[in-house]
Amino acid sequence: MAQHWTHQGGGWLPPRSPLPGVIPLRPLAPREILGGALATLRRYGGRLVGALLLGQLGGLLLVAAVAGAATLASQTRTAGSRAFVYALVPAVALFLLFSWALAGALAAALLRPAVLGRPVAARELLRAALPRTPAVLGARLLSLLAAAGPGAAAFAAGLPPVALLPLAPAALWLAVLFALAPTAAGYEGLGPVAALRRSAGLVRGGWWRTLWVTAPAGVLALGAAYALVHWFGALGVLLAPALLLTFPQLTAGLLYADRRLRRERLAGPLTAEPLVTGSA
């Protein structure tokens, strides 16, 4: 790659890193990761949200079918309303879990097209993400269980909240250690346990860096979601959950790319793998 000339002091500078997409193909600074996530939303946000809403529509139809079938299966009005509630609550819980996992799988499917600046359609993203959604959900649930499980068990056993404070540092450490597991499950096609091991290996030696990137991403997503609801009303209510689900995971995906660029020279494999990895 050719050197370039600068007029600020004169002289030749080292070659610029290639910038085919939302980030340069080199180790990144935290601001570049957050900026890359924002750039991904600007370029691909419509297709990402469209794929998420399309997948959620299928989930909503399933929820409605389950609740309706439970109601029709009852003979009396009282029993029918009870059956409706008993069927609706777990169906809604499954829908929320599905949306949570689908957003992570979609962000992983979008990672390579965004980094390389390639076009991708919403239906291609959804087709690539759906097969990896169960693994992403498993990785998310296992990381949540590892971080919050001991505290939840102690609270359920009757310990006062003050007694749980010593568990908070360990919970935070584990949450950050496994922050890249959903991306690893979605991008590399790993199972939940392997994805947690992969995340721990990538985060090791960069724990604080991972925290300084993922925490501001969550704060930005919360602030932007509040602004959407406040400024756009009903439309904001529709878009805010999509933003909360996708932006932190997009940031985690670019952080995952940064860790692999630092350790594994990811730039070469990026140009050799299928465009949407999950569809392979």
Side-chain angles (χ1 to χ4, degrees):
M1 188 181 300
Q3 294 178 320
H4 63 282
W5 176 263
T6 175
H7 294 286
Q8 299 177 354
W12 293 95
L13 295 179
R16 291 190 179 97
S17 299
L19 182 62
V22 296
I23 56 171
L25 296 182
R26 57 165 171 75
L28 305 170
R31 59 180 177 79
E32 291 176 311
I33 296 174
L34 292 171
L38 292 171
T40 303
L41 277 184
R42 286 195 300 269
R43 296 187 189 184
Y44 300 96
R47 283 157 282 183
L48 179 61
V49 172
L52 178 61
L53 293 179
L54 188 61
Q56 287 179 315
L57 178 60
L60 282 175
L61 293 176
L62 181 60
V63 168
V66 170
T71 304
L72 292 175
S74 177
Q75 299 298 320
T76 65
R77 179 177 300 178
T78 302
S81 61
R82 189 182 303 117
F84 179 83
V85 172
Y86 289 163
L88 185 62
V89 171
V92 170
L94 287 175
F95 169 75
L96 294 176
L97 286 174
F98 168 74
S99 299
W100 187 38
L102 179 61
L106 286 169
L110 183 59
L111 178 60
R112 186 168 179 265
V115 170
L116 295 181
R118 306 287 178 80
V120 63
R123 65 180 182 275
E124 293 174 326
L125 285 176
L126 187 59
R127 191 185 311 123
L130 283 175
R132 300 307 311 157
T133 300
V136 172
L137 177 60
R140 282 188 178 277
L141 291 177
L142 282 180
S143 60
L144 181 63
L145 179 64
F155 182 77
L159 292 179
V162 176
L164 305 182
L165 290 178
L167 296 175
L172 177 62
W173 180 74
L174 288 171
V176 175
L177 188 69
F178 298 141
L180 306 185
T183 302
Y187 186 82
E188 298 185 45
L190 301 176
V193 176
L196 262 64
R197 288 198 298 263
R198 178 66 161 148
S199 176
L202 290 172
V203 172
R204 191 172 294 116
W207 189 93
W208 284 106
R209 177 185 179 81
T210 304
L211 177 63
W212 298 145
V213 172
T214 54
V219 173
L220 282 173
L222 284 172
Y226 174 80
L228 283 173
V229 174
H230 182 70
W231 292 338
F232 297 103
L235 179 61
V237 171
L238 178 67
L239 294 178
L243 180 63
L244 285 172
L245 287 171
T246 56
F247 182 75
Q249 195 55 46
L250 288 174
T251 306
L254 294 180
L255 180 60
Y256 162 89
D258 168 68
R259 299 305 296 171
R260 289 194 62 185
L261 284 165
R262 290 173 181 273
R263 294 188 171 193
E264 302 171 3
R265 300 182 181 272
L266 180 63
L270 273 173
T271 60
E273 296 169 358
L275 180 59
V276 181
T277 306
S279 64

